[in-house]
Amino acid sequence: MSPKSIAVVIVAAGKGERAGADGHADPKQYRSISGVPVLTRTIRALLDYPLIGRVVPVIHESHQQRFAALGLQDERLMAPVLGGANRQASVLEGLKALAPHRPDLVLIQDAARPFVAPVLIERVIAALALNDGSLPTLPITDTIKRSLDGDRVATTEDRRQLFAAQTPQGFRFGQIFSAHMRAESIHRQFTDDAEIAEWAGLRVAMVEGERTNIKITHPEDFSRAERIIMADTVTETRIGTGYDVHPFAPGDAVWLCGVRIPHKASLQGHSDADVALHALTDAILGAIGEGDIGTHFPPSDEQWKGAASTLFLRHAGALVAQRGGRIVNLDVTIVAEAPRIAAHVPAMCAVIAETLGISADRVAVKATTNEKLGFVGREEGIVSMASASIELPRVG
């Protein structure tokens, strides 16, 4: 079977609202796991399988800039198409985009399953030699109760006959495309593509699923995903520290941890002079042995004049991800007589977490004064100290 005969539809058009219940601004498919966005991991997993000839992402209309920012490049990756009002409609849009290329087989994959393994893809494809469709499943291990009112138990199901479906689900392209086109004309919402295939009279086989092929649905799933990534990796913990100081200059606000705080002065510096993010960036760089902020962003370089320090922090986080590491926790201390910091701490933690693609509970920001002593006590400037704990794969 030639590589061009197998195509993939990756369904990424949802808003991911349940996974955003922790206040994270990005939809779940664009949030990061160990520094890499979920959607990037999913697309790469499919492209890494050598028999895949085309991959078409289906995205939400409002996510076009987010998708472009992923920077994905592969000759087999088609331009994204815009999804419909629900998952079923979005899959159909992806199938329509593939129709001119006439693939023999198509795999339909949820964007929120970033850990699909080559062995699982192989099982799904192999089952299509004798069946119209195939999907990975796992047996239900919990006892399943049915309730008619959500309050009282009506009956207990026979779990031996129940299985949890995963993706990718594979089909012969012409058959599933025809089934989706027919399903569009009736007033019924199907939960997945295998259900459409069943409704259309196609023969769908089950193959063994994978426990690690989880679907990111709720906020806690991101922590579970981090554990999956690190499970097979022998790691070591690195600790880095950072220190920075900036004097006050004429102005009306200071930037601290990415938050603009009104003040009677600003901080002097080549960039936005965010003393806290500079210290934190140095702490991360120090933990992975990558020098300091001045090495990567020299103050003599005019392109960084007035730059937002979140750029520096994001760069440090990307270096951690490139090394296959993850950020365990970050701790920032700001020493200043003024302005008052406490009210801004939640926003500061949120900015740091958002910039690095980690959960806010891994970030601590604290503030204290210098008890009127020294240049900080005289309100001549602000000092910040930071520490970073990083896990990296052990080498040698």
Side-chain angles (χ1 to χ4, degrees), residues 53-331:
R54 295 181 187 276
V55 173
V56 56
V58 185
I59 66 172
H60 194 275
E61 182 179 13
S62 65
H63 297 166
Q64 294 179 74
Q65 290 184 343
R66 281 189 171 101
F67 182 86
L70 298 178
L72 297 167
Q73 298 289 332
D74 191 290
E75 61 181 9
R76 295 169 296 157
L77 183 61
M78 297 173 58
V81 299
L82 302 183
N86 52 50
R87 185 189 185 280
Q88 180 180 331
S90 295
V91 172
L92 181 56
E93 292 303 316
L95 295 174
K96 288 178 179 178
L98 288 173
H101 305 287
R102 299 183 178 181
D104 295 325
L105 307 178
V106 61
L107 305 182
I108 302 173
Q109 169 73 0
D110 289 332
R113 290 190 189 270
F115 300 128
V116 55
V119 65
L120 184 59
I121 298 172
E122 188 171 340
R123 285 183 206 136
V124 172
I125 293 173
L128 294 176
L130 300 174
N131 300 279
D132 303 320
S134 63
L135 76 158
T137 63
L138 290 174
I140 299 295
T141 56
D142 292 329
T143 296
I144 303 299
K145 303 291 184 180
R146 181 183 297 275
S147 173
L148 302 179
D149 59 6
D151 184 28
R152 291 179 296 177
V153 172
T155 186
T156 299
E157 302 289 348
D158 183 355
R159 68 184 181 191
R160 293 171 298 180
Q161 299 179 9
L162 299 175
F163 298 82
Q166 299 182 332
T167 65
Q169 298 182 3
F171 306 93
R172 295 176 184 175
F173 180 80
Q175 291 178 324
I176 195 63
F177 188 25
S178 175
H180 260 281
M181 292 291 287
R182 289 163 52 199
E184 184 186 28
S185 65
I186 67 172
H187 297 292
R188 175 178 170 182
Q189 291 298 313
F190 294 86
T191 59
D192 68 357
D193 307 288
E195 187 182 9
I196 291 179
E198 297 155 23
W199 166 79
L202 302 180
R203 183 172 57 187
V204 181
M206 298 192 305
V207 301
E208 182 183 0
E210 295 286 332
R211 294 288 175 188
T212 56
N213 185 30
I214 66 169
K215 184 177 181 181
I216 306 293
T217 304
H218 301 288
E220 59 268 23
D221 292 333
F222 285 92
S223 296
R224 185 181 176 195
E226 295 276 2
R227 293 194 296 272
I228 290 172
I229 290 173
M230 304 306 292
D232 297 326
T233 305
V234 178
T235 63
E236 60 185 18
T237 301
R238 304 279 195 90
I239 305 296
T241 61
Y243 175 92
D244 198 24
V245 56
H246 282 276
F248 282 123
D252 60 0
V254 296
W255 285 94
L256 292 171
C257 290
V259 175
R260 186 180 186 274
I261 303 174
H263 188 49
K264 63 183 179 182
S266 64
L267 288 172
Q268 181 179 318
H270 186 64
S271 62
D272 63 3
D274 191 326
V275 63
L277 289 192
H278 292 180
L280 183 56
T281 300
D282 270 350
I284 295 173
L285 293 173
I288 61 175
E290 287 284 354
D292 62 13
I293 194 170
T295 304
H296 297 266
F297 304 97
S300 58
D301 191 334
E302 286 300 308
Q303 70 174 308
W304 308 121
K305 186 174 183 179
S309 295
T310 49
L311 294 173
F312 311 151
L313 185 63
R314 185 174 292 111
H315 174 74
L319 292 177
V320 173
Q322 289 171 18
R323 297 273 293 273
R326 74 181 186 109
I327 295 170
V328 178
N329 74 287
L330 305 171
D331 190 17

